[in-house]
Amino acid sequence: MSNKLVLVLNSGSSSLKFALIDAETGAASLTGLGECFGLADARISWKLNGEKHETQLPGLDDHHQKAIDVIVGIVNEMQVEDRLVAVGHRVVHGGERFAKSVRIDQDVINGINEIQDLAPLHNPANLMGIHAAMAAFPALPQFAVFDTAFHQTMPPKAFTGAIATELYEKYGIRRYGFHGTSHYYVSREAAKMLNKPVDESNFISVHLGNGASVCAIHNGQSVDTSMGFTPLAGLMMGTRCGDLDPGIIEFLMKKGWSQDEIFNTLNKKSGFLGVSGVSSDARGVLEAMEQGHEGAKLAFDVFTYRVAKYIASYLVALDSLDAVIFTGGIGENSLPIRREILKNLKLLGFVEDEKGNEDARFGAAGQIAKSEMLGAVALVIPTNEELVIAQDCVNLM
């Protein structure tokens, strides 16, 4: 057992995910979720030693701090104070200022605050978690790990938008990309599976979940990714539209739609939910498709087609390919979706290993296909973003 535990916090606008991670083994002795912040039914639930617990958070405000207080109580009861060495915070947007994880001080807090316009739903919530944790654990070093940091190695040709340069210079409008900790983790694990140095490895990492993105990784570094200035771009997702003709926004505004209505629809009523009319969850879509629901079948077809298109297009960013990596809730578990994506990649020579694909689910990694033409394989690797955050904290200490 390691002597180094890190409390990992992922603070959202109305939620707070947390885990107590062993920085060496990756084992989580405590996991939990605070949700419905700002509402009367705000609550926090956690799993400790295999047992589930839940309690309500009183009042209608200050729920981030109240959740942290509950977490402090749990940690104290666990009597691990002598092994708890740091608090690690997931911060969604680091802009161009934060190209790697950093120890949090007032200057870092000011920097995160200055770029909150780039992620108005996420960065202010991340800061609430940081302030609450700093008040609760004043003696512990605290670190910020940025979703965007891994993608700061993208070349200008990949991150530059084809718009007036002044929009980049004045407002920082460019491609930033997200899911960086996930793409970083699975690419390192893939290199280990292939027994190849990561800085000599080329991958296309496919993170498929309620949020979804693809990343081209050349010699271990991100060189392109599908999410853009915000997490709305790229692939079709659970409720997000992904790539969209911006002229549609102007068209809807002329039809009388407000800005809030448009972006609420694009962020919360599109993707699987919008196309299927059934569910934002891939499992619900697959179930409806099996029952003959036409909208669900269309959602399945659009999603798998778009993922395959991105994978194929990212060969342009690489000079060779070692593996396509599937990860995230859908990527790790959905056999039908992976199977259809591989079928769409038939021109690239991928042949599915049916048994391997069936076995690589529910926490199991494995090889699911091979392309003799490209000299590449398709892998499934469960992601572990919390471990990346914990290890970054310990390394920075």
Side-chain angles (χ1 to χ4, degrees), residues 272-288:
F272 271 128
L273 178 61
V275 178
S276 73
V278 173
S279 174
S280 63
D281 190 297
R283 291 166 295 188
V285 170
L286 288 170
E287 185 178 328

Side-chain angles (χ1 to χ4, degrees), residues 151-193:
H151 302 301
Q152 283 297 302
T153 52
M154 285 192 293
K157 66 181 180 182
F159 72 69
T160 301
I163 54 176
T165 302
E166 65 182 292
L167 296 178
Y168 168 55
E169 294 172 345
K170 190 173 183 179
Y171 302 114
I173 297 176
R174 49 157 284 182
R175 181 179 304 279
Y176 288 101
F178 302 89
H179 291 141
T181 49
S182 178
H183 293 302
Y184 171 88
Y185 176 80
V186 297
S187 61
R188 271 64 193 161
E189 291 300 300
K192 292 177 190 174
M193 288 176 68

Side-chain angles (χ1 to χ4, degrees), residues 313-336:
S313 70
Y314 276 7
L315 290 174
V316 174
L318 307 174
D319 48 25
S320 65
L321 180 67
D322 293 298
V324 174
I325 310 165
F326 289 94
T327 193
I330 296 172
E332 294 169 26
N333 300 308
S334 180
L335 178 63

Side-chain angles (χ1 to χ4, degrees), residues 141-157:
Q142 314 230 357
F143 299 87
V145 180
F146 299 90
D147 262 15
T148 50
F150 181 54
H151 302 301
Q152 283 297 302
T153 52
M154 285 192 293
K157 66 181 180 182

